[in-house]
Amino acid sequence: MGSFFHRHRGLTPYLLLAPGLAWLAIFFLIPLGFLGYQSLQSGVFPNFEFTWEFANFTDALSTYREHLLRSFLYAAIATVACLVLAYPLVYWIAFKAGPWRNLFLLFIVAPFFVTYLIRTLAWLNILADEGPVVGFLRGIHVLDEDGRLLATTFAVVSGITYNFFPFMALPLYVSLEQIDPRLLEAAKDLYASSTQAFLRVTLPLSAPGIVAGTLLTFIPAAGDFINAALLGTPKQAMIGNVIQAKFLESLDYPTAASLSFILMATILVALLVYARIVGTEKLTG
Amino acid sequence: MNPRMTRDELLRRGAAGTALLAFPSLLAACGGGGGGGGEDELKDVLNFANWPLYIDVDEKTKTHPTLEEFTKQTGITVNYFEEINANAEYFAKVQGPLSQGQGIDRDIFVFTDNSRFPGLLVNEGWVEKLNKDLIPNMVNLVDAQASPPFDPNRDYSLPWQSGMTGIAWNEDLTGPVTSIEQLLEDPKLKGKMTMLTEMADSVGLVMLQAGDDPTAVTDETFNKAIATVQAAVDSGQIRRFTGNDYAQPLTNGDLAAALAWSGDIVQLLSSNPKLKWAIPEAGGMIWTDNMLIPQEGSAATASTYMNSVYDPAVAAQIAAYVNYVTPVKGAKEELAKTDPETASNPLIFPDDETLAQVSQFDSAALDNDEYITLWQGVLGQ
Amino acid sequence: MTTAAETLVPRSRPRAAARAWAFVKRHALTVYALLVCAYLMLPIAVVILFSFNDPAGRFNYVWEGFTFDNWIEWDSVLGLRDAVVRSLEIGLLATLVATVLGTLMAMGIVRYHFLGRGASNVLVFLPMSTPEIVLGASLLTLFLNTTAVFQLGFWTIFIAHVMFIVSFIVVTVKARLIGFDRHLEEAAMDLGANEWTTFRKVTLPLLAPAMLAAALLGFALSIDDFVITYFNAGGTQTFPVFVWGIARVSVPPQVNVVASAIFLIAIGLALGNVLWQYRSAKRTQGAT
């Protein structure tokens, strides 16, 4: 088998990619095609007609611009929060946890086992207005007498941060785990302080993980709607909520479809900008 | 007392125009729902999709006594699916097959008439007609439900349960909240009250407060109501809009008051006697969950089941457990024989005076895309 | 281990304070790590706690009393057991397939420059950036138009899950591949191994932790998915679909029990893994 690959070197990447790409082509691209078709339709449910209705896009963009911006803002804040919170934890797991590392990796992923809704309900319990956390914060005057944590921007962003934490932590771990500790020893031997060793050796080597984690967190967070629905007020509604409502309540499939494409397009643009800043090497390898 | 109906008696009663039914062997040959809609053949399985906790349950055996009884009397097995959690979500799921002319492998599903969906389903022809010959008990339908706007002749639907929308409040946190005006303007309730995401409920109640008629919505009255709610959102008076997830915050003190449904409250009270519920001074709203027969479902089998539900004894059994308002005449009297306490609960068996205070939302307005877009805008989306 | 440089620097601070500071520095990271874990576990602790609650009515919000009943009669809620089994089956299967497909794709993209590489990258990212409701609904459209091949149920859920998980696998494994030291593979080939053997004996073992992390993420995504599953399940119920449905009225404590049980079993397995590693390390120590 090895010689087969050797002789057909040019084919190898295509063979490697074929099964996965085929899956995505059939079960993602084709449905996406339906969606694209739908986004250029007009009319009222269920009698939609294909009319090259590009106005769907312009109308949606102008009406829901605020929601788009808000979604990107929340997603960005949550991503940064995830990065800041996760990095030291993951560093510790990769370098200091020894035989316990798999256990702690499990702690990171475990929240997913209790399903989104139950976790959020538990947070509603913990952050309740009359609960211990809010009581404590009122006591030390971080919150006013009748201040609250729930139904605020803080709650929504915190919810997003909590729910997408593993998406940041796991890729970070993956790239930190492969750093050879001897590199750090070598740096120390060359009179680097711990801080310098970290900044000059560890951080750059973990860059692919940071990039991956950032993408894996930001992209789905921007499209999230559950946190805003359960933890926020109408003022915190994100683009995901709009798409959801257009689809379910308004039965306005063309607008929902065009908004979905707009979301995807803006994320891709953000991705390209990010790639430019970071350098495509780290993005694509 | 309802006569014990054997399968043969049922078939004889439905014999007019359905001679095939008298021959069980022919039924076996006919098989499942192929082309042409399963209108005529009585099947031996009924697939019934409903909302959770909406039928009687025997806690010990985890079965549904009324369904078991139905099976015993008719030989029809009921597969009961508690898969409907919200009108819009469930509709989004089933509209795919329905719009392609396919069935959804169900014979009955249940939608609320204060959403656009029952009307939409009937107008698009995605539901089968009832076989009224098989539903003699339909005479037990309460008069108020005889002719809803979306189905004036009751050709396609029959009510399952009704519910009322009013104001619930926590006695520990606030005095009685008796009006929508108070709800929207009392500074003590600021940030501690919620309204419902359902347009019919929230907008309807606000209209009643303003002296307008929610059964006949105009652009003017609608826009006025929308502006009122929007103002309360902007000022932070309204904390959020909820489905029935007001229960937890109302219990633990996050909310002092909320728009709430009558059935929920009956159940909540057993957890927390500090919760109270009342119809607002200006009036409340009433809505009804309707049984409909999806395209390609078996109208004969579904109708047979619906007939059993409209037997007052059966209706009483269901009402006793579910705690919503039954649409069947005589159920209250039946229940009073075995459970007088529940039978006298005004939330489950409201008297005429109470029923006079509640209105139904204009069903044409429910399907008005502009109104819906405006309302979703208030919800932030 | 002091170096020449360190001994030349005069000790200006008192030794005790310096030692205390060193202690804090050494353990600060550990303390931080434990605090973050506590934060992650906080809602789970609440869920586990309330699985022992004995609620008066239907609502499990207020602590009433302690009971083991919910644990003993955990499958007394109709449909709960089936939903859990379904979720686990789909999760394992979809994760397995997605990990294989995703790892292959990651290797192809990272290690080869070929025509269509950029496009492949974009294609991999797209599902992640599509709102779930859109993914779910549009996939449903496909299935509805091909009912001869696809019947809504277990396999359509499986297909949907693989579809949205595979992107996450690719991105995670790529992060590992990008920093991968090719010299090891080159060394193996210099020693006579062909490409397949090298892959099997050098690349794969080194890639394994990343694949495991990716698989873990994928499994978690599958187990937790609601929106996409809801649209493509037909009548089949997975655990999140079941919970979302019953939460409309109230979440029974038995749901907490199941969620807690899954979590505790997973922790138990991980602890077992730790113990086993410890033991085998000791054994090799003892053997020398």
Side-chain angles (χ1 to χ4, degrees):
Chain A
M1 205 207 286
S3 54
F4 174 83
F5 281 110
H6 203 88
R7 270 180 278 124
H8 298 85
R9 184 150 292 187
L11 263 186
T12 317
Y14 296 105
L15 288 173
L16 287 173
L17 283 154
L21 285 183
W23 199 286
L24 286 177
I26 301 174
F27 300 113
F28 175 70
L29 282 184
I30 295 182
L32 210 64
F34 285 132
L35 199 70
Y37 184 75
Q38 210 160 46
S39 69
L40 293 172
Q41 288 179 326
S42 58
V44 175
F45 182 90
N47 306 311
F48 295 117
E49 273 171 8
F50 187 78
T51 57
W52 294 102
E53 196 80 16
F54 286 103
N56 285 335
F57 287 89
T58 46
D59 288 343
L61 199 53
S62 60
T63 316
Y64 297 107
R65 188 181 41 220
E66 195 183 317
H67 290 82
L68 268 171
L69 290 173
R70 192 184 302 144
S71 304
F72 276 44
L73 179 66
Y74 289 179
I77 298 177
T79 305
V80 170
C82 278
L83 182 58
V84 166
L85 279 175
Y87 202 103
L89 169 65
V90 172
Y91 184 93
W92 180 83
I93 296 179
F95 292 115
K96 310 267 170 116
W100 300 94
R101 53 167 59 167
N102 285 340
L103 178 67
F104 280 91
L105 278 183
L106 203 78
F107 279 140
I108 293 179
V109 174
F112 275 80
F113 295 148
V114 295
T115 78
Y116 217 147
L117 184 62
I118 302 188
R119 309 199 273 283
T120 312
L121 288 176
W123 275 118
L124 287 173
N125 232 324
I126 299 168
L127 297 178
D129 288 4
E130 308 301 320
V133 177
V134 173
F136 171 72
L137 290 174
R138 283 181 190 161
I140 60 172
H141 297 297
V142 169
L143 285 176
D144 306 328
E145 263 308 299
D146 50 358
R148 65 176 192 236
L149 284 179
L150 291 176
T152 60
T153 308
F154 174 80
V156 175
V157 175
S158 305
I160 299 176
T161 308
Y162 181 83
N163 278 308
F164 287 97
F165 187 87
F167 291 52
M168 172 67 78
L170 285 176
L172 268 181
Y173 168 76
V174 156
S175 71
L176 277 173
E177 178 263 338
Q178 48 107 341
I179 296 178
D180 194 337
R182 290 171 300 177
L183 288 169
L184 291 168
E185 277 181 36
K188 297 260 181 75
D189 284 347
L190 293 170
Y191 310 122
S193 68
S194 305
T195 322
Q196 282 177 319
F198 175 74
L199 287 173
R200 297 283 193 91
V201 179
T202 317
L203 198 56
L205 284 176
S206 66
I210 296 179
V211 170
T214 314
L215 292 174
L216 277 184
T217 310
F218 180 83
I219 293 175
D224 183 67
F225 65 90
I226 295 188
N227 286 290
L230 296 175
L231 299 171
T233 73
K235 299 180 199 165
Q236 277 82 34
M238 295 167 70
I239 194 70
N241 299 85
V242 178
I243 295 176
Q244 166 102 332
K246 286 290 169 216
F247 194 84
L248 293 178
E249 306 288 342
S250 307
L251 301 180
D252 187 354
Y253 295 170
T255 308
S258 52
L259 274 171
S260 306
F261 275 105
I262 291 173
L263 178 63
M264 280 192 285
T266 37
I267 287 180
L268 277 175
V269 166
L271 217 79
L272 286 170
V273 170
Y274 189 60
R276 230 357 73 101
I277 297 175
V278 167
T280 34
E281 275 308 300
K282 298 209 183 71
L283 198 55
T284 58
Chain B
M1 282 303 296
N2 63 315
R4 303 211 69 204
M5 283 207 269
T6 64
R7 190 180 198 190
D8 288 333
E9 273 187 37
L10 263 176
L11 294 179
R12 248 178 276 129
R13 288 189 190 207
T18 51
L20 280 171
L21 294 175
F23 302 96
S25 56
L26 268 173
L27 288 176
C30 287
E39 332 175 334
D40 295 313
E41 304 128 17
L42 189 66
K43 305 269 172 8
D44 52 10
V45 173
L46 175 80
N47 292 316
F48 181 3
N50 204 350
W51 299 62
L53 296 187
Y54 222 14
I55 200 169
D56 59 317
V57 176
D58 180 339
E59 299 285 344
K60 288 190 204 66
T61 59
K62 297 300 164 189
T63 56
H64 307 292
T66 54
L67 293 178
E68 307 260 300
E69 190 60 28
F70 174 73
T71 306
K72 242 197 297 189
Q73 288 185 353
T74 63
I76 303 174
T77 320
V78 179
N79 294 329
Y80 189 70
F81 302 96
E82 289 183 326
E83 59 189 17
I84 309 180
N85 349 112
N87 290 297
E89 272 169 32
Y90 192 68
F91 183 80
K93 195 160 93 148
V94 301
Q95 62 88 19
L98 291 177
S99 61
Q100 310 251 350
Q102 299 167 14
I104 57 170
D105 207 20
R106 300 281 181 265
D107 303 297
I108 303 181
F109 56 8
V110 176
F111 281 95
T112 320
D113 70 358
N114 73 352
S115 74
R116 67 198 303 189
F117 302 109
L120 198 50
L121 287 165
V122 172
N123 289 338
E124 294 302 321
W126 291 347
V127 285
E128 306 284 345
K129 279 199 175 176
L130 306 179
N131 189 333
K132 293 198 201 170
D133 295 328
L134 294 176
I135 320 181
N137 281 337
M138 208 157 130
V139 298
N140 294 331
L141 179 62
V142 299
D143 301 325
Q145 296 279 1
S147 183
F150 72 90
D151 186 14
N153 295 329
R154 283 289 179 199
D155 286 327
Y156 297 97
S157 64
L158 270 180
W160 173 257
Q161 299 283 313
S162 301
M164 298 182 284
T165 311
I167 306 177
W169 69 90
N170 187 329
E171 241 179 9
D172 279 342
L173 296 173
T174 175
V177 182
T178 53
S179 72
I180 296 293
E181 191 178 3
Q182 185 185 353
L183 196 65
L184 291 175
E185 285 169 22
D186 188 346
K188 274 203 309 261
L189 296 177
K190 181 162 178 180
K192 304 215 51 103
M193 71 83 135
T194 60
M195 294 192 100
L196 292 166
T197 53
E198 287 292 343
M199 177 172 82
D201 287 326
S202 298
V203 172
L205 287 173
V206 171
M207 279 187 177
L208 285 169
Q209 175 69 62
D212 296 325
D213 183 8
T215 66
V217 174
T218 68
D219 285 351
E220 199 192 315
T221 56
F222 188 83
N223 288 329
K224 198 168 30 152
I226 288 281
T228 311
V229 182
Q230 184 70 62
V233 170
D234 292 336
S235 71
Q237 179 83 4
I238 299 181
R239 186 179 171 114
R240 358 185 335 256
F241 292 87
T242 67
N244 54 7
D245 46 315
Y246 50 73
Q248 177 170 349
L250 207 50
T251 321
N252 71 4
D254 283 356
L255 293 178
L259 290 187
W261 293 311
S262 55
D264 282 356
I265 285 298
V266 174
Q267 294 157 18
L268 268 177
L269 283 183
S270 60
S271 283
N272 191 339
K274 290 300 179 182
L275 297 182
K276 301 282 176 238
W277 184 90
I279 297 177
E281 280 165 358
M285 301 300 291
I286 189 166
W287 47 263
T288 305
D289 282 323
N290 281 273
M291 294 184 281
L292 298 134
I293 306 175
Q295 189 169 259
E296 300 292 311
S298 167
T301 322
S303 304
T304 310
Y305 177 73
M306 292 187 194
N307 189 54
S308 79
V309 167
Y310 273 75
D311 178 332
V314 176
Q317 245 183 304
I318 298 177
Y321 186 84
V322 168
N323 291 331
Y324 275 93
V325 179
T326 182
V328 178
K329 278 194 278 207
K332 177 172 178 172
E333 288 72 27
E334 278 296 326
L335 191 60
K337 296 179 196 168
T338 51
D339 186 356
E341 195 185 322
T342 311
S344 56
N345 187 332
L347 289 177
I348 306 177
F349 294 97
D351 53 17
D352 288 334
E353 197 188 313
T354 314
L355 286 174
Q357 290 179 294
V358 292
S359 319
Q360 252 191 317
F361 199 75
D362 182 349
S363 66
L366 286 172
D367 215 15
N368 183 321
D369 283 315
E370 269 176 40
Y371 288 172
I372 292 176
T373 308
L374 281 173
W375 174 244
Q376 294 297 320
V378 173
L379 299 183
Q381 54 205 25
Chain C
M1 179 183 83
T2 52
T3 64
E6 265 182 49
T7 47
L8 286 174
V9 172
R11 298 265 159 94
S12 50
R13 269 189 259 140
R15 294 183 119 230
R19 281 225 305 272
W21 180 237
F23 180 84
V24 168
K25 269 204 304 191
R26 201 167 48 233
H27 293 283
L29 197 57
T30 312
V31 170
Y32 176 84
L34 292 174
L35 280 175
V36 173
C37 282
Y39 160 71
L40 291 173
M41 292 298 107
L42 193 52
I44 299 187
V46 172
V47 168
I48 298 180
L49 181 67
F50 273 84
S51 72
F52 292 105
N53 191 16
D54 189 10
R58 282 180 194 161
F59 296 96
N60 189 15
Y61 303 140
V62 182
W63 184 260
E64 309 275 342
F66 191 95
T67 174
F68 278 113
D69 285 349
N70 305 322
W71 281 83
I72 299 171
E73 302 170 352
W74 70 272
D75 66 350
S76 58
V77 177
L78 283 167
L80 178 57
R81 180 206 289 249
D82 286 341
V84 174
V85 170
R86 208 64 57 239
S87 275
L88 290 172
E89 287 173 351
I90 293 177
L92 288 169
L93 200 55
T95 305
L96 192 63
V97 173
T99 306
V100 170
L101 293 180
T103 306
L104 290 176
M105 280 210 280
M107 292 207 58
I109 291 180
V110 172
R111 295 189 159 187
Y112 298 89
H113 289 260
F114 56 94
L115 188 66
R117 186 166 181 246
S120 302
N121 251 328
V122 171
L123 180 56
V124 164
F125 276 123
L126 279 181
M128 284 195 292
S129 65
T130 316
E132 285 207 314
I133 193 169
V134 161
L135 277 180
S138 53
L139 193 54
L140 177 65
T141 316
L142 174 69
F143 290 141
L144 289 177
N145 281 309
T146 51
T147 42
V149 185
F150 299 113
Q151 295 287 323
L152 292 180
F154 184 93
W155 291 108
T156 52
I157 305 178
F158 162 76
I159 289 172
H161 281 213
V162 172
M163 182 267 288
F164 79 83
I165 290 174
V166 84
S167 310
F168 291 90
I169 308 274
V170 173
V171 174
T172 308
V173 175
K174 261 173 56 169
R176 175 70 176 92
L177 280 173
I178 288 172
F180 200 92
D181 188 354
R182 308 293 308 258
H183 296 126
L184 292 164
E185 292 168 322
E186 284 171 25
M189 296 213 278
D190 284 345
L191 290 168
N194 65 20
E195 288 183 7
W196 174 241
T197 314
T198 310
F199 178 76
R200 235 179 354 114
K201 299 230 167 171
V202 179
T203 319
L204 211 49
L206 286 174
L207 213 49
M211 287 171 66
L212 186 65
L216 215 51
L217 184 60
F219 183 74
L221 283 171
S222 168
I223 282 254
D224 198 31
D225 179 69
F226 168 68
V227 180
I228 300 180
T229 311
Y230 184 75
F231 279 100
N232 293 288
T236 316
Q237 287 210 316
T238 60
F239 187 54
V241 172
F242 178 85
V243 170
W244 191 268
I246 206 160
R248 286 284 162 160
V249 190
S250 63
V251 181
Q254 285 82 356
V255 169
N256 290 39
V257 168
V258 168
S260 309
I262 297 178
F263 170 73
L264 290 171
I265 292 175
I267 294 289
L269 288 173
L271 274 173
N273 175 257
V274 171
L275 239 98
W276 179 77
Q277 279 188 354
Y278 184 66
R279 281 250 193 84
S280 51
K282 278 220 138 172
R283 228 177 291 125
T284 45
Q285 268 179 22
T288 50

